[in-house]
C-alpha cells in the first residue's frame, strides 16, 4: 500500500477512536484491511484490521457490514492458507447475506467459499458453494 493511503487511513483511525465512534472506526479498519489485502503488502495487518472491523460491526448490530467484513476476512484467511477459518467466516457471511436478501454480496461470499473449499480438496463442497 502506498504510504499516503496508509497515512490517511491511520489518521482517520486516530480521529475516530473505537470507544467513541465505533462505526466510523470499523469502516476505516475495513478500508485499511481491504487496501492491505489488495496490495498484498502485509497479510497480518490486513487480517488484524478486518477482524476488528468484523467484530465492531457485530458489536453494534450491523449485520450487513459485519458480513461484508467477514467476506474480506475470509479472502485474507484463504490467502494465508487458514482454510478452515476462512470457510467458517465465509459460510456465516453467506447465511447472513442470504437472510438479508443481498444477492450480489451473497454471490461474492459463495464464490470465495467455493475457492476455499476447492483449495482444501473438498470438491463437492466447492461445487455446492458455487451452485
Amino acid at each position: 500500500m502506498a504510504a499516503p493511503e496508509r497515512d490517511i487511513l491511520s489518521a482517520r483511525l486516530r480521529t475516530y477512536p473505537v470507544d467513541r465512534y465505533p462505526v466510523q472506526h470499523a469502516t476505516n479498519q475495513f478500508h485499511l484491511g481491504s487496501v492491505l489485502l489488495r496490495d498484498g503488502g502485509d497479510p497480518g495487518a490486513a487480517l488484524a484490521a478486518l477482524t476488528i472491523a468484523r467484530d465492531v460491526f457485530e458489536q453494534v448490530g450491523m449485520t450487513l457490514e459485519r458480513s461484508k467484513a467477514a467476506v474480506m476476512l475470509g479472502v485474507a484467511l484463504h490467502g494465508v492458507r487458514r482454510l478452515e477459518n476462512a470457510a467458517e467466516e465465509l459460510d456465516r457471511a453467506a447465511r447472513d447475506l442470504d437472510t438479508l436478501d443481498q444477492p450480489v454480496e451473497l454471490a461474492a461470499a459463495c464464490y470465495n467459499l467455493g475457492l476455499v473449499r476447492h483449495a482444501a480438496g473438498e470438491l463437492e463442497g466447492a461445487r455446492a458453494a458455487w451452485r
Side-chain angles (χ1 to χ4, degrees), residues 33-100:
S34 297
V35 169
L36 287 166
L37 186 59
R38 177 196 73 203
D39 293 349
D42 191 346
L47 288 170
L50 292 166
T51 299
I52 291 168
R54 180 209 55 201
D55 291 349
V56 173
F57 284 136
E58 183 160 28
Q59 290 167 7
V60 298
M62 298 179 76
T63 306
L64 176 58
E65 290 76 8
R66 184 233 173 264
S67 298
K68 290 179 179 183
V71 170
M72 291 302 292
L73 180 57
V75 170
L77 289 163
H78 180 202
V80 295
R81 304 288 299 163
R82 289 177 46 193
L83 301 179
E84 185 174 326
N85 299 114
E88 289 170 3
E89 291 295 333
L90 292 162
D91 185 57
R92 178 173 174 194
R95 284 184 277 118
D96 289 343
L97 292 163
D98 187 40
T99 300
L100 293 168

Side-chain angles (χ1 to χ4, degrees), residues 98-123:
D98 187 40
T99 300
L100 293 168
D101 194 28
Q102 296 291 317
V104 175
E105 289 83 0
L106 174 60
C110 291
Y111 174 76
N112 283 291
L113 179 58
L115 292 177
V116 168
R117 289 193 171 146
H118 187 270
E122 301 170 18
L123 301 184

